[in-house]
Amino acid sequence: APWKTAILNTAVRLKLFTVLSDRQMSANELAAQTSANEVVLQAVLNALVCMGLLQMQEDKYGNSHLSRIYFVEGEPYYVGDFIQLLVNESSKWNKLFSIVSEGKEISDDSCDSNRTFIKAMHNMGMLGEVDALINCVDLSGCPNMIDAGGGSGIYSISLCQKYPDLKSIILD
């Protein structure tokens, strides 16, 4: 549902889950911390409660277990950048009709788009792709590797940690 995606993306962009981390705060406190409009923020917070992403006790909001794992920046399984990538990409697809029917050119802020994409791919790597790679690829005896499209370097870093004599060149 688009409304759920919009609410989740708003929460990620405001860093609500990160601000809450392991504590509980009122809508007023969260509005002050995030510079958000308190009335509208409270509606978003209540929607996040209904979605199971926040919990509420005595007018204070706290992260659900799932939100602490996946939406708090700095946690190993953080996927907030991936959420932002999905929203950015879907907004581009929403312009397809205008591009096709009116012949409009596609414009893109490639620096921000690339940064978001690299961070999102790093998020995905941390969800288990890196572990899968290092457990199924044997680079014993390989002195060098090239990581084409290496992004944040998470795959090269993990492989070099497993194979200390391995040197990697990251091309992106």
Side-chain angles (χ1 to χ4, degrees), residues 86-106:
L86 292 176
V87 170
N88 292 349
E89 292 297 314
S90 68
S91 71
K92 290 176 189 173
W93 282 106
N94 289 335
K95 298 174 186 174
L96 182 61
F97 177 77
S98 296
I99 293 167
V100 172
S101 64
E102 300 169 22
K104 289 186 176 181
E105 288 190 30
I106 301 170

Side-chain angles (χ1 to χ4, degrees), residues 23 65 100 130-131 138 171:
R23 56 189 172 158
H65 177 71
V100 172
V130 168
D131 291 335
D138 183 6
L171 303 173

Side-chain angles (χ1 to χ4, degrees), residues 56-83:
M56 187 171 146
Q57 288 182 310
E58 300 176 19
D59 295 331
K60 296 222 179 209
Y61 297 89
N63 283 327
S64 68
H65 177 71
L66 180 112
S67 294
R68 278 193 298 276
I69 293 171
Y70 295 111
F71 301 126
V72 174
E73 278 187 84
E75 291 298 322
Y77 298 114
Y78 177 72
V79 295
D81 299 310
F82 189 73
I83 298 298

Side-chain angles (χ1 to χ4, degrees), residues 117-129:
F117 180 80
I118 289 170
K119 289 168 69 176
M121 294 302 101
H122 181 88
N123 290 167
M124 297 310 294
M126 295 302 293
L127 285 175
E129 287 184 3

